[in-house]
């Protein structure tokens, strides 16, 4: 008999005489000559209640139907007399597919801490919370592609192995096949001649540079893939491997860039509300009671815009005691970003026009010669969600910036070529997919929105 997902069974309008469902037993409750199984197959948050009677509710089978065991059940889907559920499955046949020893199965029927569940990341998707989380993650990824497709963007698969450093921040993971690789950046004659690529290679920190090349041919493109950063910051907002969404638009300026970022965040939230209502409800109930209000805030009103210089003045006049003092010309810390967004504005805010010294070489220099056409989108709880800019399209200005940043021109000849042949204004941004998921669910630690998180000294699974 064909197998039906629990979600499809529970959403049915009419009973069904013969169905087959499979899943993992969450709980079992025994009564006189009867037994009730709660079975979950991951297709939705809700469990299917299975009623066992007669020989199916007898030993020795019954004792083996423990929490975590896997079953296939055939029977009739009938209206449930119990409150809170519409349907239940009256079993005629039950097959025990795989047992789970109750002495050692780590997921017992109680609330486990996130920390504990991180240690069993192979089993945590079987819990209500993580099942819901990873269904939401999947749905959000779909919504990203839908958003761009509806706006005529071409999806670009940018490379993961790379020889350039987009952000110039030096937080690169090296890739080598040599047993004894030369030191990073090694000078003199090519010390990497014997290495696989014949030159220094690493995992990409961003697909932006390649996205720019393609935007200057296809007009509007986006990448959505894994990026890697070896920053040794053990914070709840940084992972060594995370996914970034990076659109890039030819003929666009910073205004258009911000409008796109705002539209994307709003659309993703609306999509999740429309398609993951039940799973989101779990987070509002158990993780963050303010979640519904925050999601309202994200979709309802226009986001604020504040130039960096003004942001610094606001922070300095705030009377707030920050751990890191606010310094004109310095980078904003998460505590500053959160103050601006949560306390000062009370909703998402774009901070624009940062001093060029604290931003990457590719950002377009403003007419004042001191600032760049950059924007960071700050959101409640998370801080920086998006970083983007208009790109420097003027060859001489870009070359000067690269020199100041100490970047070898010959390594980026292709990037410079785009400014030589039909250069155009263009702009783009990067949105951290995990940071968005934290925002959308209220989950406070980035490790808990990644299936198998990679952080310093953590590479299990
Ligand atoms: O601000 P970032 O470094 O910008 C770039 O990489 C640009 N090349 C993007 C572009 O213009 N195409 O990173 C973009 C976003 C951040 O705002 C943040 O949300 C996320 O990526 N991010 C991280 N997320 C998790 N862990 C980390 N270590 C992250 N570093 C950045
Ligand atoms: Mg940034």
């Amino acid at each position: 008999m064909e197998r039906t997902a629990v979600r499809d069974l529970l959403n049915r309008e009419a009973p069904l005489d013969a169905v087959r469902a499979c899943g993992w037993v969450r709980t079992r409750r025994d009564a006189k000559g009867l037994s009730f199984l709660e079975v979950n197959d991951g297709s939705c948050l809700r469990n299917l209640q299975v009623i066992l009677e007669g020989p199916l509710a007898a030993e020795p089978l019954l004792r083996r139907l423990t929490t975590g065991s896997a079953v296939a059940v055939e029977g009739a889907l009938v209206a449930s007399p119990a409150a809170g559920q519409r349907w239940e499955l009256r079993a005629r046949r039950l097959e025990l597919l795989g047992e789970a020893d109750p002495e050692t199965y780590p997921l017992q029927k109680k609330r486990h801490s996130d920390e504990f569940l991180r240690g069993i990341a192979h089993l945590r998707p079987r819990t209500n919370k993580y099942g819901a989380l990873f269904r939401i993650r999947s749905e959000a990824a779909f919504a990203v592609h839908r958003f761009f497709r509806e706006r005529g963007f071409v999806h670009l698969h940018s490379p993961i192995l790379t020889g350039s450093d987009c952000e110039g921040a030096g937080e690169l993971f090296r890739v080598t096949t040599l047993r004894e690789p030369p030191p990073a950046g090694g000078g003199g004659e090519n010390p990497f001649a014997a290495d696989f690529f014949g030159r220094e290679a690493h995992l990409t920190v961003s697909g932006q540079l390649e996205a720019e090349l393609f935007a200057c041919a296809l007009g509007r493109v986006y990448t959505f893939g894994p990026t890697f950063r070896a920053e040794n910051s053990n914070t709840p907002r940084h992972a060594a491997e995370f996914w970034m969404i990076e659109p890039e638009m030819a003929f666009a300026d910073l205004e258009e860039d911000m409008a796109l970022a705002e539209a994307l965040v709003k659309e993703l939230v609306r999509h999740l509300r429309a398609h993951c209502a039940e799973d989101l409800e779990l987070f509002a109930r158990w993780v963050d009671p303010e979640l519904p209000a925050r999601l309202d805030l994200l979709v309802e009103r226009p986001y604020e815009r504040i130039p960096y210089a003004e942001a610094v003045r606001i922070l300095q006049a705030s009377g707030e005691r920050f751990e890191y003092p606010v310094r004109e010309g310095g980078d904003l810390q998460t505590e500053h970003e959160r103050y601006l967004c949560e306390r000062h504005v009370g909703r998402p805010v774009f901070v624009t026009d940062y001093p060029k010294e604290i931003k990457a070489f590719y950002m377009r220099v403003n007419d004042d010669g001191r600032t760049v056409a950059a924007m960071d989108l700050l959101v409640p709880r998370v801080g920086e969600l998006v970083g983007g800019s208009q790109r420097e399209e003027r060859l001489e200005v870009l070359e000067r910036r690269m020199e100041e940043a100490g970047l070898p021109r010959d390594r980026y000849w292709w990037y410079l070529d785009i400014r030589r042949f039909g250069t155009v204004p263009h702009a783009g941004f990067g949105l951290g997919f995990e940071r968005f998921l934290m925002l959308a669910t209220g989950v406070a630690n980035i490790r808990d929105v990644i299936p198998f998180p990679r952080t310093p000294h953590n590479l299990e699974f």
Side-chain angles (χ1 to χ4, degrees):
M1 195 190 299
E2 212 179 307
R3 183 176 73 251
T4 310
V6 167
R7 166 192 157 131
D8 295 335
L9 290 177
L10 295 180
N11 289 340
R12 278 189 61 85
E13 291 298 325
L16 249 187
D17 187 48
V19 301
R20 176 182 169 88
C22 300
W24 293 269
V25 174
R26 283 290 175 81
T27 59
R28 194 193 78 219
R29 191 161 51 81
D30 301 327
K32 254 189 288 144
L34 271 184
S35 204
F36 302 89
L37 296 183
E38 292 286 327
V39 175
N40 188 286
D41 71 350
S43 61
C44 66
L45 189 61
R46 283 167 293 160
N47 301 323
L48 177 66
Q49 171 154 293
V50 174
I51 317 287
L52 303 177
E53 286 171 294
L56 290 182
E59 301 299 355
L61 173 66
L62 204 56
R63 202 177 327 127
R64 296 160 68 205
L65 293 176
T66 55
T67 298
S69 61
V71 293
V73 192
E74 289 174 17
L77 189 74
V78 300
S80 173
Q85 63 193 25
R86 186 155 177 206
W87 304 113
E88 61 187 28
L89 179 58
R90 296 208 160 251
R92 284 190 290 265
R93 265 195 65 199
L94 182 142
E95 197 182 330
L96 178 58
L97 300 173
E99 291 181 50
D101 176 8
E103 298 295 313
T104 49
Y105 186 60
L107 288 176
Q108 293 309 323
K109 193 187 152 53
K110 61 164 194 170
R111 270 192 97 183
H112 296 288
S113 73
D114 293 320
E115 197 122 59
F116 169 77
L117 291 172
R118 257 172 242 153
I120 51 165
H122 59 311
L123 291 170
R124 71 177 176 169
R126 289 196 195 179
T127 64
N128 280 343
K129 177 172 169 184
Y130 288 91
L133 195 285
F134 292 114
R135 278 188 299 271
I136 290 172
R137 182 171 172 130
S138 164
E139 194 60 39
F142 170 77
V144 167
H145 290 297
R146 200 180 85 162
F147 174 88
F148 287 113
R149 188 171 183 279
E150 283 173 355
R151 285 161 182 79
F153 282 74
V154 173
H155 183 197
L156 165 69
H157 294 122
S158 51
I160 288 169
L161 292 170
T162 168
S164 56
D165 177 2
C166 171
E167 292 306 297
E171 294 150 348
L172 303 162
F173 282 105
R174 291 178 61 195
V175 175
T176 179
T177 52
L178 297 178
R179 279 165 144 263
E180 286 171 42
E189 212 152 296
N190 181 7
F192 298 91
D195 207 346
F196 188 89
F197 294 107
R199 56 184 284 184
E200 198 170 346
H202 19 255
L203 297 177
T204 187
V205 296
S206 159
Q208 177 196 321
L209 301 189
E210 290 86 358
E212 281 189 54
L213 309 181
F214 263 61
C216 291
L218 299 176
R220 307 176 126 207
V221 302
Y222 71 103
T223 72
F224 183 11
T227 47
F228 307 86
R229 295 194 186 176
E231 34 193 350
N232 208 351
S233 45
N234 232 325
T235 81
R237 292 174 186 79
H238 290 86
E241 175 177 316
F242 62 99
W243 281 58
M244 220 201 297
I245 298 153
E246 296 186 275
E248 191 71 34
M249 299 178 285
F251 318 112
D253 61 8
L254 192 67
E255 279 303 316
E256 200 175 330
D257 204 33
M258 287 191 281
L260 184 74
E262 182 169 338
L264 173 61
V265 175
K266 287 181 165 169
E267 177 56 31
L268 293 183
V269 171
R270 280 196 208 102
H271 182 95
L272 292 183
R273 283 190 139 175
H275 296 274
C276 303
E278 202 174 275
D279 287 330
L280 278 179
E281 160 70 22
L282 176 147
F283 290 90
R285 187 139 172 225
W286 300 104
V287 176
D288 176 12
E290 277 155 38
L291 184 63
R294 183 145 32 79
L295 295 183
D296 286 343
L297 203 68
L298 284 170
V299 292
E300 274 169 7
R301 293 174 52 201
Y303 298 174
E304 187 65 76
R305 279 127 210 250
I306 302 181
Y308 166 89
E310 194 186 325
V312 167
R313 277 195 298 276
I314 292 167
L315 289 165
Q316 284 174 338
S318 68
E320 198 72 10
R321 287 251 233 88
F322 293 114
E323 190 184 335
Y324 298 90
V326 184
R327 201 169 49 75
E328 168 78 49
D331 225 341
L332 299 182
Q333 304 294 325
T334 300
E335 54 174 346
H336 308 142
E337 297 176 335
R338 290 189 60 179
Y339 176 88
L340 276 176
C341 171
E342 293 168 19
R343 310 266 304 280
H344 184 76
V345 185
R347 62 179 197 283
V349 51
F350 287 103
V351 175
T352 63
D353 305 296
Y354 286 80
K356 63 179 183 187
E357 288 76 22
I358 58 172
K359 288 291 183 186
F361 72 95
Y362 52 72
M363 296 187 178
R364 191 178 197 278
V365 178
N366 287 327
D367 291 344
D368 62 13
R370 293 181 301 105
T371 60
V372 285
M375 59 96 160
D376 277 4
L377 175 61
L378 315 180
V379 297
R381 283 178 67 115
V382 171
E384 180 189 336
L385 172 66
V386 170
S389 74
Q390 189 170 334
R391 317 307 189 188
E392 185 54 76
E393 85 283 13
R394 298 162 295 188
L395 181 63
E396 332 72 64
V397 185
L398 182 62
E399 285 182 330
R400 218 176 313 129
R401 289 275 284 150
M402 290 179 72
E403 206 159 299
E404 284 164 14
L407 293 174
R409 248 191 264 173
D410 52 338
R411 280 276 180 86
Y412 294 83
W413 62 273
W414 38 270
Y415 191 69
L416 294 166
D417 256 6
I418 292 300
R419 279 77 182 166
R420 275 191 193 100
F421 308 125
T423 191
V424 291
H426 58 288
F429 64 79
L431 181 147
F433 189 52
E434 284 78 11
R435 300 238 179 126
F436 171 77
L437 292 170
M438 293 168 71
L439 177 70
T441 58
V443 167
N445 196 313
I446 197 165
R447 291 166 180 77
D448 298 332
V449 299
I450 301 179
F452 301 103
R454 271 71 175 102
T455 50
H457 297 281
N458 181 19
L459 193 65
E460 196 62 58
F461 311 105

